[in-house]
Amino acid sequence: QKEVEQNSGPLSVPEGAIASLNCTYSDRGSQSFFWYRQYSGKSPELIMSIYSNGDKEDGRFTAQLNKASQYVSLLIRDSQPSDSATYLCAVPSGYSTLTFGKGTMLLVSP
Amino acid sequence: EAQVTQNPRYLITVTGKKLTVTCSQNMNHEYMSWYRQDPGLGLRQIYYSMNVEVTDKGDVPEGYKVSRKEKRNFPLILESPSPNQTSLYFCASSLVGGNSNQPQHFGDGTRLSIL
């Protein structure tokens, strides 16, 4: 069983701060990594994908991947109250499935 | 608009009464999947389909059936629902399955309560 681990949180940050969300995975062969955002009672929404070691930036979001350490993170700069949600890390398992972490709840206070 | 559509969005029913949750996608995706989401357990895959007439079990398939007769549709069937199947269900699709660079697109979810 492939494992994807996340700290459940909640991670609390003040508005304007940088939020750092972390994820570790067990399958060394994983090639693609996804971050989803899920508001309470809503469906997961893809916000970032990353396939190569290093950083990938998209607006206020930066995904960081370190395959040697089996570690992927998501940084949210200038956090806003609207960023308050649960963030899910997802890693493909073999060819046919996507394994999700249980998610980290982020709370951004005004 | 590209989307995954699930119906119904909400359903309250009783133990043993067969039900079907429909899922349809308009993106010509090959891969479709069903998940259930429970507090503290995260998203768990029930069944998936790599293409028409190709389905396979996920992590929690007991008590569920699926079919994939057409590329766009992937219904989830509960032949004899039980209270432990009360959950939030999501259908998802992607261009191809698994270990590719293709993310999954989710439907809006079906909140199912079995009394």
Side-chain angles (χ1 to χ4, degrees):
Chain A
Q1 177 74 22
K2 305 298 191 294
E3 300 282 337
V4 178
E5 301 287 343
Q6 296 180 254
N7 188 320
S8 62
L11 172 66
S12 295
V13 300
E15 183 174 358
I18 296 175
S20 177
L21 305 160
N22 304 315
C23 172
T24 59
Y25 59 93
S26 64
D27 184 4
R28 284 193 171 276
S30 296
Q31 298 295 316
S32 49
F33 306 85
F34 306 104
W35 282 101
Y36 288 81
R37 177 177 61 200
Q38 186 177 25
Y39 293 111
S40 181
K42 302 296 185 182
S43 61
E45 170 194 14
L46 180 73
I47 54 172
M48 286 289 287
S49 56
I50 186 166
Y51 313 112
S52 304
N53 274 331
D55 295 359
K56 178 183 177 183
E57 187 174 318
D58 183 0
R60 296 187 295 111
F61 298 99
T62 298
Q64 299 176 316
L65 175 60
N66 184 326
K67 290 185 179 179
S69 300
Q70 296 175 245
Y71 177 95
V72 58
S73 65
L74 179 70
L75 301 179
I76 305 175
R77 291 183 300 282
D78 187 23
S79 295
Q80 301 297 308
S82 58
D83 295 326
S84 298
T86 295
Y87 290 80
L88 306 173
C89 174
V91 181
S93 301
Y95 186 69
S96 57
T97 61
L98 195 61
T99 297
F100 286 83
K102 293 179 181 179
T104 298
M105 181 183 294
L106 173 66
L107 299 175
V108 182
S109 54
Chain B
E1 179 188 352
Q3 58 185 3
V4 178
T5 303
Q6 294 179 228
N7 280 296
R9 293 290 315 282
Y10 304 90
L11 179 63
I12 300 174
T13 188
V14 296
T15 299
K17 185 176 181 182
K18 180 179 178 180
L19 67 93
T20 299
V21 185
T22 63
C23 175
S24 180
Q25 50 91 6
N26 63 359
M27 297 169 278
N28 202 36
H29 284 174
E30 290 186 351
Y31 181 92
M32 298 186 75
S33 181
W34 276 103
Y35 296 88
R36 61 178 290 174
Q37 189 173 37
D38 303 287
L41 297 177
L43 276 167
R44 294 181 292 167
Q45 191 178 48
I46 303 170
Y47 270 94
Y48 63 92
S49 170
M50 298 292 284
N51 213 325
V52 176
E53 301 293 0
V54 181
T55 63
D56 208 345
K57 297 176 180 178
D59 296 322
V60 288
E62 294 78 21
Y64 304 95
K65 286 176 57 177
V66 293
S67 68
R68 187 91 182 273
K69 295 185 172 63
E70 306 166 280
K71 198 171 189 178
R72 63 182 293 128
N73 296 324
F74 190 45
L76 179 69
I77 302 158
L78 285 71
E79 294 270 4
S80 183
S82 62
N84 65 9
Q85 293 177 298
T86 293
S87 187
L88 179 58
Y89 291 85
F90 290 105
C91 180
S93 72
S94 65
L95 193 58
V96 294
N99 199 10
S100 68
N101 294 343
Q102 301 295 328
Q104 293 188 17
H105 303 266
F106 285 80
D108 288 338
T110 295
R111 188 166 292 281
L112 188 57
S113 295
I114 315 292
L115 305 178

